[in-house]
Amino acid sequence: DKGQGFVYHVNNMKHAAALARFRLGSACLNTETLRAGLPRSERHCMLCDMQVREDELHVFECPAYADLRTEFEDVVSTIDSTSATMDDDMRVMMNKGNDAHAWQRLAMFIYRVMKFRATALAAQADDR
C-alpha cells in the first residue's frame, strides 16, 4: 500500500516546516543563501573546517552535527559524499515510507540541526 506523506505523520508544525524546507532545498544553507555573491563551489560551511559546499548532503557529514546524528542514529546516518551509492543512500534516508515514528524523528532531527546552526552562526557573528 502506498502510504501517506510526511505531512500526515509529523504533527509538530515547526518540525514539519523544517523538514519540508530541507527536502525542497530551501533550508537557508549557504549553497542557497550565498548564491548572490559566491560561486556554488565556494559556499562553504561556516561551522567546520572541511572546506566543502554547505548543502543538504553536508548536514550528514559535517562534524558540527555529529552529536545530533548520534542522538538520532535510529533515523539518520553519516553519508559519504564520495560513495557511488550516495544519492541512493540519501534518498532512502529521506523517505520513511509509512513509518510515523521515523518521520517524526527525522523531522525533529532536521529542526534541531537548523536550530543548532542558527545559534552557532549567531554566536560566531557576536564574536566578530
Side-chain angles (χ1 to χ4, degrees):
D1 289 336
K2 185 173 179 174
Q4 302 291 333
F6 75 89
V7 177
Y8 179 81
H9 297 296
V10 180
N11 300 320
N12 183 308
M13 293 310 293
K14 289 181 181 180
H15 296 178
L19 182 58
R21 282 191 300 273
F22 189 86
R23 288 172 52 104
L24 292 169
S26 61
C28 295
L29 299 171
N30 286 344
T31 194
E32 293 299 321
T33 60
L34 297 178
R35 70 177 159 188
L38 291 173
R40 189 173 176 87
S41 62
E42 295 178 25
R43 300 175 200 166
H44 297 159
C45 177
M46 294 182 212
L47 300 181
C48 72
D49 296 327
M50 293 178 69
Q51 296 298 306
V52 295
R53 183 176 65 236
E54 183 189 40
D55 57 12
E56 290 77 16
L57 173 62
H58 184 65
V59 167
F60 301 99
E61 298 179 309
C62 184
Y65 308 122
D67 290 343
L68 285 169
R69 284 194 303 272
T70 298
E71 183 180 341
F72 290 89
E73 68 185 348
D74 57 318
V75 292
V76 301
S77 60
T78 300
I79 293 182
D80 179 2
S81 61
T82 63
S83 169
T85 63
M86 178 263 308
D87 286 337
D88 291 336
D89 296 344
M90 185 74 161
R91 194 172 300 113
V92 166
M93 187 171 33
M94 294 305 295
N95 184 4
K96 301 302 181 186
N98 216 14
D99 186 340
H101 179 73
W103 276 119
Q104 291 163 9
R105 295 276 296 157
L106 178 62
M108 186 184 303
F109 168 75
I110 298 298
Y111 174 78
R112 298 260 312 271
V113 162
M114 294 298 110
K115 189 173 179 180
F116 175 89
R117 181 182 181 276
T119 302
L121 291 177
Q124 282 182 359
D126 288 346
D127 290 341
R128 288 183 201 156

